[in-house]
Amino acid sequence: MKTLRHVWNMLCHNKLFSAIYIFGTALALATVTMFAVVMWNKVAPIYPEYNRSKTAYLESVSVSRTKAQGMYMGRMNLETARDYLAKIPSATKASLMADYWDDYFVQPDGGRPDIKVRVKPTDTAFFDIYDYQFLAGRPFSEAEFESGLTVAVITDELSKQAFGNVDFENVIGRDISLDFKKYKVVGVVKQATPTEVWSYAHIIYPYTVIKENPKNFPYVGDFKIVYLSDTPENLPKEVQAVAGMLNSTNEDYELEINYGPVTHIHYTLGDEGYDDEFTLGGFLLGIGAILLVLLIVPALNLSGMISGRMEERVGEMGLRKSFGATRGQLLREVLWENLILTIAGGVLGFILAWVLLQLGISSLMAKGDYGVDDVVTAEMVFSPVIFTFVFVVCCILNIMSAFLPAYRSLRRPIVQSLKE
């Protein structure tokens, strides 16, 4: 309590120094916090991808002719994905998703302009892997999926844009027009964000309502697979075994698995799985180097400020040492003073980071242009991990900036300090 009173008196007595110190710290920590939020939310279990530690992705395959030239690389066709590659022992669940690379538009009620949307033609296992919050209705059923019924689950944001401010329960059972084709709404879910590239969509419907585009090669088509597994590290070997089995029965074409299945961390941090040399340790080492650079520059600036401030307090420190204060006590007091200033700057920096993320910096995290405002949610920023990280950075920045100037100043003899 005594230290806090002393710091408060120091703040009031040195308003300019305190303001510059806090604001400089805030700018540094705002940058670090935004960086941390972006990186953490690539791998953190956030809505609706709470199973990220157990998910793995298979996006593409290659098919080549064994007796002639020619190769095709792309998604898998339905038969290969559904009947073979999705049925492997280590996979608890496997969901197929059709990906046609097209633009889709919803025609809202009232003749308003079309709404560009992202669609997700998938199966019922999708809702087992991704924990969507249903605000009304339910997922489409296995019977609806098998029958190829034109039913859909839509997001709350799309519901508001397409139907207006209607209670979500009243949307259930209504038709929504997607590229002038009617789908009956069976569920409304809380919208995710574009950072969840595998689960994010405005409309989710059964892939059985569409016909697959034919390809000139076997095995290839328009589907990719997301797996849920307690042992995702076993998936690549098992998928390769399936590919070997298929190749043993086809003398004209050879199927090759491209980069997968890869874990969520590898996919997100390792160039969507295409970085063969990716390791989590190497990635963390690189991130640590970036963070160190981000901290060194403000630490040097703050250290210079503290050095100047300590020169002004040499006489005070000499007088207190003459009355029995030890060097260790004075050093701890200086570090506490600067830690409190640093934490104040950290709080301001955290608020500044939140504001900047909401004002548009967060668009750097999005993939695609779908008119979504809430790219960064409160769940992403106000996380215990992020809070802990910011506090630790405050402590590191305090030690880096304050310890050396204070230590050098306090090493001076009492007589010399009193003369100055």
Side-chain angles (χ1 to χ4, degrees):
M1 196 67 182
K2 184 178 179 181
T3 301
L4 290 175
R5 283 199 300 268
H6 180 76
V7 173
W8 175 253
N9 292 333
M10 187 268 292
L11 285 171
C12 295
H13 185 70
N14 301 280
K15 295 179 181 178
L16 181 61
F17 170 82
S18 302
I20 295 175
Y21 191 101
I22 291 174
F23 187 70
T25 303
L27 289 178
L29 288 176
T31 304
V32 173
T33 300
M34 287 190 293
F35 182 81
V37 169
V38 172
M39 298 311 302
W40 171 244
N41 288 288
K42 288 178 179 289
V43 298
I46 56 176
Y47 175 84
E49 298 186 0
Y50 295 118
N51 292 315
R52 282 178 168 178
S53 63
K54 298 181 179 181
T55 52
Y57 312 115
L58 181 58
E59 271 200 306
S60 65
V61 296
S62 296
V63 180
S64 58
R65 290 190 175 95
T66 56
K67 299 179 181 179
Q69 291 185 345
M71 186 186 78
Y72 184 96
M73 185 174 77
R75 306 284 191 244
M76 296 147 279
N77 66 19
L78 177 58
E79 179 185 3
T80 304
R82 179 191 61 201
D83 299 338
Y84 296 100
L85 296 177
K87 295 180 178 180
I88 54 178
S90 293
T92 307
K93 294 283 183 179
S95 177
L96 277 61
M97 304 175 187
D99 192 351
Y100 294 108
W101 305 95
D102 296 325
D103 290 334
Y104 293 85
F105 295 87
V106 162
Q107 292 72 48
D109 288 350
R112 288 169 291 164
D114 290 358
I115 306 166
K116 187 178 181 181
V117 294
R118 185 176 294 179
V119 303
K120 191 75 68 177
T122 185
D123 49 31
T124 56
F126 178 85
F127 297 102
D128 295 324
I129 297 175
Y130 297 113
D131 190 13
Y132 270 94
Q133 178 185 349
F134 276 82
L135 305 176
R138 55 172 176 79
F140 52 81
S141 66
E142 189 67 30
E144 291 168 330
F145 171 78
E146 293 294 342
S147 301
L149 298 182
T150 51
V151 294
V153 173
I154 67 173
T155 67
D156 54 345
E157 295 299 324
L158 178 59
S159 175
K160 294 174 186 176
Q161 294 179 52
F163 300 111
N165 292 322
V166 179
D167 188 82
F168 297 136
E169 291 291 347
N170 295 329
V171 173
I172 304 303
R174 295 180 63 173
D175 289 336
I176 189 168
S177 176
L178 175 64
D179 288 342
F180 302 100
K181 184 175 183 178
K182 299 293 185 181
Y183 290 79
K184 186 175 77 171
V185 178
V186 297
V188 178
V189 296
K190 177 184 174 183
Q191 183 161 290
T193 72
T195 55
E196 291 87 40
V197 294
W198 278 78
S199 62
Y200 174 71
H202 302 96
I203 301 183
I204 306 165
Y205 58 87
Y207 67 69
T208 49
V209 306
I210 54 181
K211 291 185 179 180
E212 186 176 16
N213 298 323
K215 299 293 190 295
N216 295 326
F217 280 71
Y219 306 126
V220 294
D222 301 299
F223 286 85
K224 54 187 181 180
I225 307 173
V226 56
Y227 299 94
L228 183 67
S229 174
D230 293 327
T231 54
E233 64 277 4
N234 294 338
L235 297 175
K237 185 182 296 184
E238 295 175 358
V239 167
Q240 291 291 349
V242 172
M245 182 272 294
L246 291 173
N247 289 334
S248 68
T249 62
N250 193 328
E251 297 180 354
D252 298 321
Y253 293 90
E254 182 176 2
L255 172 66
E256 182 180 349
I257 305 300
N258 297 328
Y259 310 104
V262 294
T263 63
H264 176 83
I265 289 180
H266 188 174
Y267 181 87
T268 307
L269 305 181
D271 191 23
E272 297 187 349
Y274 290 98
D275 184 0
D276 286 334
E277 299 180 357
F278 171 85
T279 62
L280 183 58
F283 179 83
L284 292 176
L285 187 63
I287 292 298
I290 294 174
L291 289 176
L292 187 61
V293 171
L294 290 175
L295 289 176
I296 283 178
V297 174
L300 290 175
N301 292 331
L302 294 175
S303 181
M305 291 180 57
I306 294 171
S307 294
R309 176 64 185 148
M310 290 303 298
E311 289 296 322
E312 298 176 2
R313 299 179 64 185
V314 166
E316 173 197 341
M317 294 300 174
L319 183 62
R320 294 181 64 184
K321 282 194 285 187
S322 67
F323 280 96
T326 66
R327 186 183 302 169
Q329 289 174 331
L330 295 175
L331 180 61
R332 285 193 297 272
E333 184 175 300
V334 172
L335 290 177
W336 268 109
E337 292 174 1
N338 287 281
L339 178 60
I340 292 172
L341 288 173
T342 305
I343 290 176
V347 173
L348 181 61
F350 195 89
I351 296 171
L352 180 61
W354 169 252
V355 172
L356 290 174
L357 287 168
Q358 291 300 315
L359 287 178
I361 300 297
S362 59
S363 62
L364 298 174
M365 299 171 64
K367 293 189 177 182
D369 179 18
Y370 294 90
V372 178
D373 295 326
D374 295 328
V375 176
V376 174
T377 64
E379 180 187 15
M380 295 178 175
V381 179
F382 297 100
S383 159
V385 174
I386 298 297
F387 275 119
T388 303
F389 174 81
V390 173
F391 178 75
V392 170
V393 169
C394 284
C395 294
I396 294 174
L397 189 61
N398 176 59
I399 293 173
M400 291 174 65
S401 61
F403 180 80
L404 187 59
Y407 180 75
R408 291 176 59 185
S409 177
L410 293 172
R411 287 185 62 190
R412 298 180 183 180
I414 296 177
V415 176
Q416 182 181 350
S417 298
L418 291 173
K419 288 181 178 179
E420 296 181 4

